[in-house]
Amino acid sequence: VYAVEPDGVFFSNGPGDPATADHPVALMRAVLERRTPLFGICFGNQILGRALGFGTYKLKYGHRGINQPVMDRTTGKVEVTAHNHGFAVDAPLDGPVDTPFGRAEVSHVCLNDQVVEGLRLLDRPVFSVQYHPEAAAGPHDAAYLFDRFVELMEAERA
C-alpha cells in the first residue's frame, strides 16, 4: 500500500463475511497505526469496525436497494442511500468509545432498523459508511463523502 506513497487509503466494498476477513483487518490496522487518512465503504466499514475491536453480525434481513434512509448523526441530515449488504457492525450507538486507535463513534445509522451505517474516529482522519455513496444508478445524497475524504487528505498534507 505504501509503495505508491498514498495521500489516503480507500477500503472499498466487496463480498464476504467480515468475521473471516483477517488479512484485510490486519491491513486496516497497519493503515490506522500510520494515521493515514482512510475512507471505508460497505465491506470497508465492516473491516474498520473489526479493526477497532467491534464485532460484526449477519442481518436477519439484508439491506438491499436504492431507497434506504440513513441519518448522518454529525449533521442530522437524512440521506436516501443505496445498499447491498447482509452484515453489519455491532458498535454502541450511545456515544464515543475508546478503541486501540483512539475514540470512535457511530456516525451514520439506518432509520429503518437502527443498524450502524457509518463509523468515524475522533482522533484520526478516518471514517466509513456501510452503504454505497458511489452507486451510479442510485441516489447521490452521499456524494459529499468523497469531498470529506479529499478534505482529510489535504489537511494531512498541510
Side-chain angles (χ1 to χ4, degrees):
V1 170
Y2 287 96
V4 296
E5 301 178 15
D7 290 327
V9 175
F10 186 80
F11 274 74
S12 66
N13 47 329
D17 180 348
T20 65
D22 294 334
H23 178 71
V25 171
L27 180 59
M28 174 80 73
R29 286 183 178 139
V31 171
L32 291 169
E33 287 172 4
R34 291 183 70 158
R35 298 179 181 266
T36 303
L38 186 145
F39 179 14
I41 285 181
C42 200
F43 197 62
N45 177 68
Q46 297 163 12
I47 298 305
L48 176 60
R50 284 204 48 218
L52 296 176
F54 302 126
T56 56
Y57 64 97
K58 185 168 179 55
L59 293 167
K60 184 174 182 179
Y61 301 102
H63 290 182
R64 315 276 183 228
I66 61 171
N67 291 313
Q68 305 289 330
V70 170
M71 180 187 287
D72 180 337
R73 297 173 83 191
T74 327
T75 64
K77 179 181 169 188
V78 175
E79 304 166 6
V80 176
T81 61
H83 292 228
N84 187 22
H85 64 98
F87 293 89
V89 175
D90 187 14
L93 297 173
D94 57 352
V97 295
D98 291 326
T99 75
F101 301 100
R103 296 170 303 138
E105 70 178 2
V106 172
S107 60
H108 293 74
V109 65
C110 182
L111 295 179
N112 288 336
D113 56 10
Q114 298 301 301
V115 165
V116 171
E117 293 290 342
L119 299 166
R120 75 179 181 127
L121 286 178
L122 302 176
D123 305 314
R124 296 182 193 220
V126 173
F127 71 98
S128 62
V129 292
Q130 181 61 60
Y131 51 90
H132 294 267
E134 82 288 6
H140 300 283
D141 290 7
Y144 73 94
L145 292 167
F146 295 99
D147 295 332
R148 184 180 287 175
F149 186 47
V150 169
E151 289 168 9
L152 285 177
M153 290 186 291
E154 289 173 344
E156 286 298 307
R157 269 189 280 166

